[in-house]
Amino acid sequence: MTLKKRIIPCLDIKGGQTVKGINFVDIRSAGDPVALAKRYVEEGADELVFLDITATVEGRKAFAVLVGEIAYEINIPFTVGGGVSSVEDASTLVNAGADKVSIKSAAVKRPKLIYEMAQEFGSQFVVVAIDAGLISGEWKVFVKGGREATHIDVHQWAKEVEKLGAGEILLTSMAHDGTKSGFAIDLTNKMAANLNLPVIASGGAGTVRHFKEVFEKTKATGALAASVFHFGEIAIPELKKFLKNQGLEVRNT
């Protein structure tokens, strides 16, 4: 059975406000996260992702109070990430209203955390975010909000993540992030084809055709974007109508 494609807005949070950058830098404000979340529900978004993008770098936990305020206003699956380094941290976010929790730097530092969270909450709860950057022509895993490179191959890491019990991967190409030049098709295609768990493509959405391309040319089951939704460059209802007219099975159309 083919999974219907998901359209997923992302709230990158810094200092309690939604922000957006290009290639993980040049950050600018994008508005109130609670208001944006409510708008996306009304527009028909399939899921919502909340990423506290400076929590790990600043050595703190995600804003659980803000997570709770957003969760109260929405009725779609809600993934939260940022500063999660233990099962206890994940529990705090679940209690605040998260349906799924995303981990990234902490998973690289201690991979067993993926297993522990899957055992505690179920694999469907665990989303592992992978920030991929090119080093000498090879895709490597980056951590700490894209500020620190590792020598870990992204595809090998994805396979390990799957074995440890993750339920989903959120794959972001740092080279494409915020550029609006299209998703990293080759990277996404290779990863999604080699895994038995859902992959969300992230980084580079600029037009409705970019969504069509990533769904047609890869096995990604979800496509995530931020600024094109935040600033009204792409309206979710029109995007879903376009994809459906192109013969793609999209949720909630």
Side-chain angles (χ1 to χ4, degrees), residues 176-199:
H176 294 73
D177 176 73
T179 64
K180 302 180 185 177
S181 59
F183 294 95
I185 298 300
D186 292 343
L187 170 68
T188 306
N189 181 47
K190 182 177 178 180
M191 182 171 290
N194 290 329
L195 298 173
N196 293 310
L197 74 171
V199 173

Side-chain angles (χ1 to χ4, degrees), residues 12-222:
D12 291 322
I13 304 297
K14 182 179 181 182
Q17 287 294 304
T18 311
V19 296
K20 187 54 192 167
I22 299 174
N23 305 132
F24 283 41
V25 294
D26 297 329
I27 304 296
R28 61 171 172 150
S29 176
D32 174 63
V34 178
L36 282 171
K38 290 172 67 175
R39 192 184 97 198
Y40 290 138
V41 172
E42 292 168 0
E43 290 182 355
D46 299 304
E47 299 188 15
L48 184 67
V49 170
F50 171 112
L51 299 176
D52 190 329
I53 62 173
T54 57
T56 297
V57 176
E58 295 171 1
R60 58 171 175 76
K61 307 305 178 185
F63 295 117
V65 172
L66 180 55
V67 169
E69 292 174 357
I70 294 173
Y72 181 78
E73 298 289 349
I74 66 176
N75 59 359
I76 57 177
F78 187 28
T79 298
V80 179
V84 177
S85 59
S86 67
V87 171
E88 290 73 24
D89 293 341
S91 294
T92 298
L93 296 178
V94 171
N95 291 334
D99 299 298
K100 296 183 277 188
V101 168
S102 172
I103 54 175
K104 182 171 53 183
S105 299
V108 174
K109 184 177 182 180
R110 194 171 70 86
K112 190 180 178 183
L113 176 60
I114 301 169
Y115 173 79
E116 293 171 351
M117 288 174 56
Q119 289 295 302
E120 181 72 21
F121 304 105
S123 289
Q124 76 284 350
F125 169 89
V126 185
V127 178
V128 174
I130 299 178
D131 289 341
L134 281 169
I135 300 178
S136 301
E138 297 183 354
W139 289 103
K140 300 294 184 180
V141 175
F142 278 65
V143 295
K144 296 184 178 178
R147 292 169 173 81
E148 185 176 303
T150 73
H151 297 292
I152 302 170
D153 177 83
V154 293
H155 300 292
Q156 293 177 357
W157 175 234
K159 292 297 289 185
E160 183 176 352
V161 161
E162 182 177 35
K163 290 177 183 176
L164 287 166
E168 190 166 46
I169 286 177
L170 170 56
L171 173 64
T172 301
S173 165
M174 294 173 56
H176 294 73
D177 176 73
T179 64
K180 302 180 185 177
S181 59
F183 294 95
I185 298 300
D186 292 343
L187 170 68
T188 306
N189 181 47
K190 182 177 178 180
M191 182 171 290
N194 290 329
L195 298 173
N196 293 310
L197 74 171
V199 173
I200 300 170
S202 169
T207 70
V208 293
R209 294 196 174 276
H210 290 152
F211 289 87
K212 174 178 181 285
E213 182 182 34
V214 78
F215 288 144
E216 286 187 340
K217 295 184 177 181
T218 82
K219 293 185 177 180
T221 63

